[in-house]
Amino acid sequence: TPRHHRPVRAEQAAPSHSFTEHRRPLHPMQNNRNQGYPPASTNGQWQQQGYPAAQPQGGQYAGYDNYNQGQYAQQQGGGYPPAQQHSQYPPSAQSAQYPQTQPAQGYSNQGYPAQASGGYPSQAPAQTAQPQPSYGYDSKAPPSGYAQGGYPSGQGGMQQMTSQMGQMNMGGGGAAAPAQGGGRYPGAAPTGAGGGGAYPTPNAQTQPPPPTAVPEYVHVCDPKQIALTAGVLPSQSSTAQRAHVPLGIVIQPLAETESECPVVNFGAVGVVRCKHCRAYMNPYVTWMDGGAHWRCNLCGLMNETPSGYYAALDETGRRTDLAKRAELIHSTVEIVATPHYMIRAPMPCVYFFVFDVSRPSIASGALARACSAAAASLDHLPGGKRTMIGFLSYDSRVHFYALKAGSPPKMTVQSDLEDIFLPEPHGLLVNLAEARECVDSLLELLPSMHQHTTDVEAALGPALEAAHEIMKPIGGKLSVFSSTLPSIGCGRLMNRDDPAKLGKPGEHKLLLSAAEYYKELAFRMSHVQISVDVYLFSRYYTDVATLNDLAKFTGGQTHRFPAYYDTKDGEDLYRLVTHSLTREQGWESVIRVRVGKGYKVTDFFGNFRLRSTDLLTVPCIDSNKAFALQMAVVEKGVESQCLSVQSALLYTTSFGERRIRVHTVCVPVTSFTSHIYTSINSPVVTALLFKQAIARVTSASFDKAREHVRKSVTSLLRSYSYTSGAYSTSQALELPDNLAALPLQCLGMLKHEALRDRNVLSDKRAAVHAYLYPMGLNEVEIAVRPRLLPIESLDGKSMPQELELTAASIDPSQCLVLDDGKSFMILVGNRVDPKWVNTVFEAMDAKSMRLRDLEENSPTELQLVYQVLDSIRTPFHKGTYVIADGTQDAAHFYGALVQDRTMGEQSLDEYMQFILRR
């Protein structure tokens, strides 16, 4: 069966790069796990079908489907809707006042390879004359003097565009062009020459393509940092209601990308912003009056150009200094903030550690491993010579450690938990460079200092109060390690776990916070720029739901290692702690997202504190933190032909400079639902729905959360099928590539531990919520659609072919690894070569096995298995579990195959048939 007709992400061929260079992509679009993104195509394909080839153009983001290779040449495969091709220097155009947004030769005004009218195969006979198509909002012609996309046009702009579309066979005669790709459910043979990917709508001949929104010289935002649920948005609320597309944004401001973010310094002019909506200067503003004024692309206000920022316009209507102004070419820039954006001097990097030194922490080895990871990270902490560090520990008492250069650490014990005070005014938070020897000595001695303790109590609340007092003059990152349920002092918690409530209507109440103390403390910490990361190790109930408030409202994250044992979990904890401490981070940050007229932001999802209606406070933001925003169309709708969205992150860098990272996205709007469907980004839709569902669990119930996911996806697909007539003669629903994965993603969400109605312990469920809620697209994608790889026949040169998530893919002669983003499960088939099994695994008892440790002289077979696991392993993976097929534990493996029917949920085939029943 052709790849694009399959409902899951099976590779067509092994990657061409060497195996040792393979790294797990930061985004699904970077490899062949690309279903869910609007299709792109190469010039060669469209030339074969009789369309003019697009002219290749250079630039930083000239097609971004090949991140892993470090190149941006557009290739066939998934990807976000490609914008206009970019060049390093602004090309000439015929516009009088602003760059003409003409598509490249061979491309439609949408930025896609040219197709018949509306993106569907034309059924009309050939015609000699082409009527001029109408464009834009509600099919009305643009205002006089404006080209499509809302930008002023030059002489002959519309005539040239109309002529070009006539050459591309848009809106009329010629042979029907087959639609590219198309995902088919169930996996039967395609119907029709077009592969079943798209069918003409009843009014396809009357639907023009949406206008383009991006000038051809602009470098668009990297979709790993900001992405919308659709590349074309509804212009009216009525259109949004018909389309049933969730409207929203996923933002990961500091996500790692292949290229560096341009830095802009406005100097004495000051940061150039709109006087009304306070949006920052960006490539999508309109220059007027010879450059003396500019119109804001978000609110429409006419602003006067500051004298120090003025530049004349050339004959094309572009600024003469355009090539020197990164903020007018790049949609993502980092602006050097002026003193106006500071209420104090930029803070140094501050790292503070609170260790549990009770008996459970010592016995499990968690304390020793955490200290080892912290010590290994000291040379790699961001901040340089300004970095500061401090330590506390606790059991039934609180232990303070005074650090001084040239002296051993001094411990002070405080037993009065009702009135915590600082025993010394200095030395509890010190400069790392000045006290490095003392810090190294403390981290080495700390486990042995408490190795003989018998104390099993945990005064976590008093220890946090003490840390707050120490850190509040500056702020910083607080790492808390806990092996026991807080049992003494303020913040004491009781065991409220009740397995009898699992699967019952009141189960969601177990995920509500048991005490307001930790939420109130988190608010106080957020106010003084303290962010909290929580590491939990207890083998018993820990009340993750309550303790997660510390991370949720301070921009941190909660990590749970249930029943931690160092031999089993030590390497995973070490990797996670070092990653958390050394990754790219921003300090004392706030985020504001602005949307253009006609839309509004209605809700926010992620780890932050909402300080006002639209200002998110994140004391410490890192490269893994993501935020989802839900949008809605206002009553009047969008009056222009494009909508802009701008995210602004104001933060302090690790080297002590105040910066504003600005991401600006401009997309067309339309009144045709068919345009919206072809531009949907299903991974973004999935991430938004999943975060909404997690929030609804605690605000409503599990049933309502699951119903929200099921209804949202089903309504979207049914609306698409009605609009496109996407049925084959066998009554199977035809889906384009960008929607083909959405049904499976829906089932993946419903069957995930975060939402499924089968029995899941409350601590485990709360830990899953805490992990996924602040995560980005890639982590959510792999969580709802795990990858299944055979590993028994590796050649060391390429990744194994990914299999479909169904039991039908499993061969008893295979050994398979299932990766869900948080652990590896390895299923050993009954007929796998016993010699290979004995080489790679070792038996622990009659029914269980483990993966052998990798050593320098390990067999090649074992080295190849580790190469595969290491290439897809992330810092958040915890555990590798080996399961023999046919044993009781195999049920856990088969339960993760989301394409099959499970208890309480449909199989993929059943779900597709359910969608067809109106």
Side-chain angles (χ1 to χ4, degrees):
T1 304
R3 168 67 185 90
H4 56 261
H5 293 302
R6 297 182 183 177
V8 295
R9 303 155 294 182
E11 298 188 7
Q12 292 182 5
S16 60
H17 52 76
S18 65
F19 186 77
T20 55
E21 294 176 349
H22 179 79
R23 294 292 184 272
R24 185 170 190 275
L26 296 174
H27 197 276
M29 67 188 296
Q30 296 177 31
N31 65 357
N32 58 350
R33 297 169 61 84
N34 57 11
Q35 285 201 15
Y37 295 90
S41 67
T42 59
N43 296 336
Q45 285 183 312
W46 289 97
Q47 283 179 298
Q48 293 171 7
Q49 296 176 13
Y51 294 93
Q55 299 299 321
Q57 301 184 34
Q60 185 179 6
Y61 289 97
Y64 34 82
D65 290 332
N66 196 20
Y67 286 156
N68 275 354
Q69 304 299 327
Q71 300 172 356
Y72 292 86
Q74 182 155 328
Q75 298 184 357
Q76 180 185 10
Y80 281 79
Q84 297 293 331
Q85 304 300 306
H86 318 298
S87 59
Q88 184 175 3
Y89 299 102
S92 61
Q94 298 179 2
S95 174
Q97 292 184 338
Y98 197 78
Q100 176 68 27
T101 57
Q102 294 289 348
Q105 183 182 3
Y107 278 72
S108 71
N109 206 31
Q110 221 178 324
Y112 300 107
Q115 300 186 28
S117 176
Y120 300 98
S122 172
Q123 304 298 319
Q127 300 176 7
T128 57
Q130 303 294 335
Q132 178 172 322
S134 59
Y135 286 88
Y137 163 67
D138 266 348
S139 302
K140 298 177 182 178
S144 176
Y146 279 78
Q148 309 318 316
Y151 301 106
S153 64
Q155 297 296 328
M158 180 60 72
Q159 290 84 348
Q160 179 182 354
M161 183 178 294
T162 304
S163 174
Q164 188 178 26
M165 290 179 186
Q167 297 173 10
M168 288 189 261
N169 194 28
M170 297 191 68
Q180 181 190 359
R184 179 180 172 83
Y185 290 94
T191 59
Y199 285 73
T201 62
N203 60 344
Q205 299 299 319
T206 65
Q207 295 186 10
T212 185
V214 182
E216 68 274 12
Y217 60 85
V218 172
H219 302 293
V220 297
C221 296
D222 194 309
K224 289 182 289 185
Q225 295 184 330
I226 182 169
L228 277 68
T229 51
V232 179
L233 296 177
S235 58
Q236 295 285 336
S237 58
S238 58
T239 307
Q241 292 171 2
R242 293 198 313 273
H244 293 285
V245 177
L247 302 177
I249 320 164
V250 174
I251 303 170
Q252 196 170 341
L254 297 183
E256 296 177 354
T257 61
E258 295 291 335
S259 58
E260 293 185 4
C261 180
V263 178
V264 176
N265 191 339
F266 287 100
V269 176
V271 179
V272 181
R273 305 176 65 180
C274 175
K275 293 182 179 179
H276 179 257
C277 69
R278 307 302 294 161
Y280 294 89
M281 178 59 65
N282 63 84
Y284 309 106
V285 303
T286 305
W287 295 99
M288 312 291 288
D289 302 332
H293 294 85
W294 58 276
R295 186 182 300 279
C296 177
N297 55 305
L298 276 88
C299 69
L301 179 72
M302 188 73 73
N303 292 267
E304 183 178 355
T305 306
S307 58
Y309 192 70
Y310 171 80
L313 305 183
D314 61 18
E315 66 278 3
T316 67
R318 298 172 181 170
R319 285 176 58 114
T320 54
D321 65 343
L322 190 62
K324 301 178 181 179
R325 291 289 186 182
E327 70 277 9
L328 301 181
I329 299 176
H330 297 269
S331 297
T332 296
V333 295
E334 194 153 86
I335 301 172
V336 177
T338 62
H340 173 72
Y341 293 85
M342 308 176 193
I343 58 175
R344 64 175 183 176
M347 63 174 284
C349 299
V350 176
Y351 297 89
F352 202 88
F353 299 86
V354 175
F355 293 113
D356 183 347
V357 294
S358 64
R359 187 60 197 167
S361 182
I362 301 295
S364 67
L367 174 62
R369 184 67 70 166
C371 290
S372 174
S377 302
L378 296 180
D379 289 329
H380 309 285
L381 293 178
K385 296 182 179 180
R386 301 173 70 239
T387 302
M388 304 188 72
I389 198 167
F391 302 90
L392 280 180
S393 64
Y394 67 95
D395 42 28
S396 62
R397 301 171 296 177
V398 178
H399 313 93
F400 296 85
Y401 299 93
L403 307 174
K404 186 178 180 181
S407 301
K410 177 184 177 183
M411 183 176 71
T412 303
V413 180
Q414 194 168 132
S415 302
D416 185 2
L417 304 180
E418 299 299 326
D419 185 19
I420 290 292
F421 62 92
L422 304 185
E424 296 190 23
H426 305 290
L428 300 178
L429 186 64
V430 297
N431 182 276
L432 175 60
E434 296 175 357
R436 177 60 186 270
E437 291 185 4
C438 191
V439 170
D440 287 335
S441 176
L442 176 62
L443 290 173
E444 182 180 356
L445 295 174
L446 193 59
S448 59
M449 291 169 62
H450 303 276
Q451 64 180 339
H452 299 299
T453 184
T454 57
D455 199 333
V456 296
E457 301 291 347
L460 176 60
L464 292 174
E465 293 287 355
H468 174 259
E469 287 297 316
I470 296 172
M471 299 179 68
K472 72 178 182 181
I474 303 177
K477 186 181 186 70
L478 174 60
S479 299
V480 178
F481 300 84
S482 173
S483 297
T484 308
L485 184 72
S487 58
I488 189 172
C490 54
R492 179 190 181 195
L493 297 175
M494 304 294 292
N495 188 336
R496 61 187 179 109
D497 193 21
D498 188 357
K501 292 183 179 180
L502 301 182
K504 303 296 177 58
E507 180 186 359
H508 70 283
K509 295 181 180 179
L510 296 175
L511 302 181
L512 299 175
S513 180
E516 288 293 316
Y517 170 78
Y518 291 98
K519 181 177 180 179
E520 183 270 335
L521 176 59
F523 274 49
R524 285 192 282 130
M525 288 186 168
S526 176
H527 184 70
V528 294
Q529 305 300 334
I530 299 175
S531 179
V532 185
D533 282 349
V534 181
Y535 301 84
L536 303 173
F537 308 109
S538 177
R539 66 174 61 249
Y540 305 110
Y541 179 75
T542 317
D543 203 346
V544 178
T546 300
L547 295 179
N548 183 51
D549 282 350
L550 288 168
K552 182 177 180 180
F553 297 106
T554 63
Q557 191 162 6
T558 298
H559 308 279
R560 178 175 179 255
F561 291 80
Y564 178 91
Y565 188 64
D566 194 65
T567 302
K568 172 176 63 76
D569 302 306
E571 291 185 5
D572 296 328
L573 176 61
Y574 183 94
R575 182 174 56 252
L576 178 60
V577 172
T578 53
H579 171 75
S580 177
L581 295 175
T582 60
R583 61 189 167 186
E584 180 185 357
Q585 307 194 49
W587 309 83
E588 50 186 348
S589 60
V590 292
I591 301 175
R592 175 170 274 131
V593 178
R594 299 173 174 89
V595 296
K597 293 177 65 175
Y599 271 68
K600 63 180 179 180
V601 176
T602 58
D603 210 348
F604 303 87
F605 307 94
N607 285 1
F608 56 83
R609 179 171 69 92
L610 193 61
R611 201 161 76 186
S612 63
T613 56
D614 63 345
L615 187 66
L616 312 183
T617 300
V618 188
C620 184
I621 186 171
D622 55 66
S623 55
N624 296 116
K625 291 295 184 301
F627 310 90
L629 287 76
Q630 178 181 310
M631 297 192 304
V633 189
V634 300
E635 184 177 352
K636 293 183 179 180
V638 182
E639 298 177 355
S640 63
Q641 294 181 338
C642 300
L643 179 81
S644 294
V645 177
Q646 187 176 87
S647 164
L649 167 68
L650 174 63
Y651 74 107
T652 299
T653 64
S654 295
F655 50 85
E657 192 171 84
R658 201 76 170 140
R659 295 280 184 88
I660 310 165
R661 180 163 292 199
V662 180
H663 304 279
T664 309
V665 177
C666 187
V667 296
V669 296
T670 182
S671 59
F672 296 116
T673 57
S674 59
H675 298 156
I676 302 172
Y677 293 135
T678 58
S679 71
I680 288 176
N681 298 325
S682 67
V684 185
V685 172
T686 300
L688 176 64
L689 291 177
F690 209 15
K691 292 173 186 289
Q692 289 175 336
I694 290 174
R696 289 199 179 199
V697 166
T698 53
S699 64
S701 67
F702 277 102
D703 288 339
K704 292 184 178 180
R706 287 189 286 264
E707 181 61 24
H708 170 68
V709 171
R710 186 182 291 107
K711 182 178 180 180
S712 297
V713 176
T714 303
S715 298
L716 190 161
L717 296 177
R718 283 179 173 172
S719 178
Y720 167 78
S721 67
Y722 174 78
T723 301
S724 64
Y727 294 97
S728 69
T729 56
S730 61
Q731 287 298 302
L733 179 60
E734 303 285 353
L735 295 175
D737 276 353
N738 63 309
L739 292 178
L742 193 56
L744 191 59
Q745 289 167 330
C746 174
L747 292 180
M749 288 186 280
L750 295 174
K751 297 177 182 181
H752 195 272
E753 293 173 334
L755 298 179
R756 71 186 183 201
D757 55 3
R758 295 192 302 172
N759 292 346
V760 179
L761 294 177
S762 59
D763 255 3
K764 185 175 183 179
R765 182 105 69 177
V768 171
H769 288 186
Y771 165 70
L772 289 173
Y773 198 57
M775 282 300 187
L777 296 178
N778 199 51
E779 289 79 12
V780 174
E781 168 78 3
I782 197 68
V784 301
R785 287 202 303 166
R787 75 177 106 220
L788 184 63
L789 302 172
I791 58 173
E792 79 288 343
S793 300
L794 302 174
D795 59 9
K797 299 179 181 179
S798 60
M799 283 290 289
Q801 181 180 3
E802 189 173 341
L803 304 178
E804 296 186 3
L805 293 169
T806 173
S809 301
I810 297 179
D811 189 317
S813 63
Q814 288 183 316
C815 182
L816 305 174
V817 59
L818 185 78
D819 171 26
D820 62 0
K822 61 183 180 64
S823 64
F824 294 126
M825 284 194 291
I826 300 177
L827 183 71
V828 182
N830 296 326
R831 295 205 295 268
V832 180
D833 183 2
K835 181 179 179 181
W836 183 89
V837 172
N838 292 331
T839 301
V840 175
F841 306 103
E842 62 178 336
M844 300 177 63
D845 53 46
K847 295 184 179 180
S848 62
M849 295 180 290
R850 64 180 292 270
L851 189 65
R852 293 184 182 273
D853 295 330
L854 184 64
E855 301 175 354
E856 290 185 4
N857 57 348
S858 293
T860 302
E861 294 86 350
L862 181 61
Q863 294 181 26
L864 294 178
V865 170
Y866 269 97
Q867 283 183 343
V868 170
L869 298 183
D870 291 342
S871 68
I872 60 178
R873 191 191 309 271
T874 72
F876 306 103
H877 275 85
K878 305 181 185 75
T880 300
Y881 306 96
V882 181
I883 302 170
D885 198 4
T887 62
Q888 185 176 2
D889 292 336
H892 297 290
F893 187 95
Y894 285 97
L897 303 179
V898 296
Q899 192 171 333
D900 293 335
R901 180 179 179 84
T902 58
M903 185 181 301
E905 290 297 340
Q906 302 164 309
S907 68
L908 181 60
D909 290 341
E910 291 170 337
Y911 179 59
M912 296 307 298
Q913 293 300 319
F914 170 75
I915 295 174
L916 292 174
R917 296 196 298 269
R918 297 186 180 277

